[in-house]
């Protein structure tokens, strides 16, 4: 290549590097204004506005004010709104230098000073209340980290004292795909000077498949989120009430391939709970709501937004009634289903496991009026439970003791008499369940199996019309 060709090539490259920041900055400003306006429009109880946006050739600075309408959220017109400013600085690519020399479309830093919130919470004033830093690669993938310093409550809310250790998180986003992970070491709370709560080693993990517009608008989209708290301890009047280890809560929002149906799965679990000298392990509960009309879910979210702050129960009931009536056919024809796919726990006396599914059979058409006969003819369900007999006896005895204490009979007995009475009544209760066919004895286990279809219920092998059973 000639020297002239090399020179022309160099001029083109330098010109591109010089001109690109202007166009990247212009697009960045357009995106910021669009997303802030969308948040302001779609998030009830919140407000957002771009107070200022100063765009230079290589960088931009903006101030975004976010408000919280407590009067609407709490349905109390006397409560004053809260507002805070977000300071946003953006470096325009393709050459980035904020965090070392690199190539990318942009880099940003977001700070919330916390000004105006000092009356409610204390933190190291040398740091912002919230800090986020990130960058966007030339391929369009955004990576970021966020940070909140240690927070301590003030006496503005005398019923609640808390201290939260510093929080750190990091995430990635590319078109239609989001992932995030965050954690803190400890949260302590004193509630109304009566209860002390300590939560340690919390982790939040989330993934989603949606664009930024969908997420900001708060629409329904595929998402998986998990919360984990390593250790939990709750005390009252300096007496330990219970401890819990590895508490896990997860939620999964799913959408069918044709986007006509939505599914919501939720789960809770804990490795161990100890209270009053009793230990429970392997605790789990997983529920599912399947085959819900996606248009109904979208309309439901719109109703929630439109009725935010409404305190008239008749207005709320009418809005929900109109919603169901409008989407009744799509809801029922989709064969909605509720399930407890897995539930159980283990104690010294044994293990309990259970599951159930309940939904509608396939329909040819939806009647104009829904009544009990419609449900009897079209409801279908299955359920199973197995429980170790020693555990069933212990649970029945505990229930009897609780009832005797509630009605005052226990006060007239000593410990031995209470134990004897509970043992007798628990045995009678379980024997009655077995006689009625509610429980089936299989070795060292009680079993319950239920199946419902076409108006007939099969209970542990005994079939009868559902109407008769009801």
């Amino acid at each position: 290549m000639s020297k002239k060709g090399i020179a022309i090539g160099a001029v083109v490259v330098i010109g591109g590097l010089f001109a690109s920041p202007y166009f990247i900055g212009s697009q960045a400003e357009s995106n910021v204004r669009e997303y802030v306006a969308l948040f302001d429009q779609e998030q009830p109880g919140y407000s957002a506005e771009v107070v200022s946006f100063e765009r230079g050739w290589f960088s931009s600075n903006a101030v975004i004010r976010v408000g919280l309408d407590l009067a609407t959220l709490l349905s109390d017109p006397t409560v004053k709104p809260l507002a805070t400013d977000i300071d946003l600085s953006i470096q325009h690519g393709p050459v980035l230098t904020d965090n070392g020399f690199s190539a990318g479309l942009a880099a940003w830093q977001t700070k919330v000073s916390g000004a105006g919130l000092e009356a409610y919470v204390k933190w190291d004033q040398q740091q912002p209340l919230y800090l986020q830093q990130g960058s966007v690669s030339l391929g369009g993938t955004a990576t970021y980290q966020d940070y909140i310093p240690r927070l301590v409550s003030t006496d503005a809310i005398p019923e609640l004292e808390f201290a939260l250790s510093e929080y750190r998180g990091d995430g990635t986003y590319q078109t239609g795909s989001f992932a995030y992970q965050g954690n803190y070491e400890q949260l302590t709370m004193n509630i109304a000077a009566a209860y002390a709560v300590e939560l340690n080693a919390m982790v939040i993990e989330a993934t989603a498949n949606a664009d930024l517009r969908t997420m900001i608008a708060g629409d329904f989209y595929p998402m998986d989120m998990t919360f984990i708290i390593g250790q939990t301890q709750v005390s009252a009047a300096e007496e330990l009430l219970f401890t819990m280890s590895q508490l896990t809560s997860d939620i999964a929002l799913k959408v069918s391939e044709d986007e006509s149906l939505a599914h919501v799965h939720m789960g809770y679990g804990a490795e161990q709970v100890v209270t009053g000298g009793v230990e429970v392990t392997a605790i789990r509960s997983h529920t599912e709501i399947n085959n819900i009309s996606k248009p109904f879910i979208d309309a439901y979210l719109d109703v929630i937004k439109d009725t935010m702050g409404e305190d008239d129960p008749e207005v709320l009931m009418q809005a929900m009634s109109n919603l169901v009536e409008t989407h009744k056919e799509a809801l029922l024809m989709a064969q909605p289903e509720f399930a407890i796919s897995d539930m159980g726990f283990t104690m010294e006396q044994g293990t309990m496991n259970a599951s159930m599914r309940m939904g509608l059979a396939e329909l040819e058409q939806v009647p104009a009026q829904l009544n009990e006969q419609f449900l009897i003819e079209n409801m279908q369900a299955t359920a199973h439970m197995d429980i170790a007999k020693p555990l069933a006896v212990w649970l029945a005895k505990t229930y009897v003791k609780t009832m005797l204490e509630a009605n005052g009979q226990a006060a007239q007995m000593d410990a031995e008499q209470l134990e004897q009475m509970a043992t007798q009544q628990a045995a009678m209760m379980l024997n009655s369940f077995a006689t009625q066919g509610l429980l089936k004895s299989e070795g060292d286990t009680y079993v319950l199996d239920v199946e419902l279809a076409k108006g007939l219920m099969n209970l542990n092998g005994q079939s009868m019309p559902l109407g008769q059973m009801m």
Side-chain angles (χ1 to χ4, degrees), residues 95 131 157 171 264 370 419:
V95 179
L131 173 66
I157 306 178
V264 180
L370 304 180
E419 180 68 20

Side-chain angles (χ1 to χ4, degrees), residues 44 70 80 114 120 158 176 237 250 256-257 260 266 275 281 330 342 347 379 408 433:
L70 294 178
K80 296 182 179 180
Y120 301 94
D250 57 76
S256 62
E257 290 187 7
S260 64
M266 295 173 287
T275 178
T281 61
D342 182 33
M347 296 178 64
M379 186 70 68
F433 289 162

Side-chain angles (χ1 to χ4, degrees), residues 36-54:
V36 169
L38 181 65
F39 181 89
D40 181 69
Q41 174 184 337
E42 297 291 342
Q43 292 296 322
Y46 293 86
S47 62
E49 63 171 323
V50 178
V51 177
S52 64
F53 200 108
E54 300 176 357

Side-chain angles (χ1 to χ4, degrees), residues 57-79:
W57 197 279
F58 296 103
S59 64
S60 298
N61 292 286
V63 176
I64 302 167
R65 182 163 298 155
V66 177
L68 183 60
D69 185 359
L70 294 178
T72 297
L73 294 174
L74 301 178
S75 299
D76 184 352
T78 65
V79 180

Side-chain angles (χ1 to χ4, degrees), residues 282-286 340-345 352-355 385:
I283 304 167
R284 63 199 188 280
S285 174
H286 297 279
I340 301 175
S341 55
D342 182 33
M343 181 174 69
F345 59 89
M352 189 278 284
N353 302 292
S355 63
M385 182 191 73

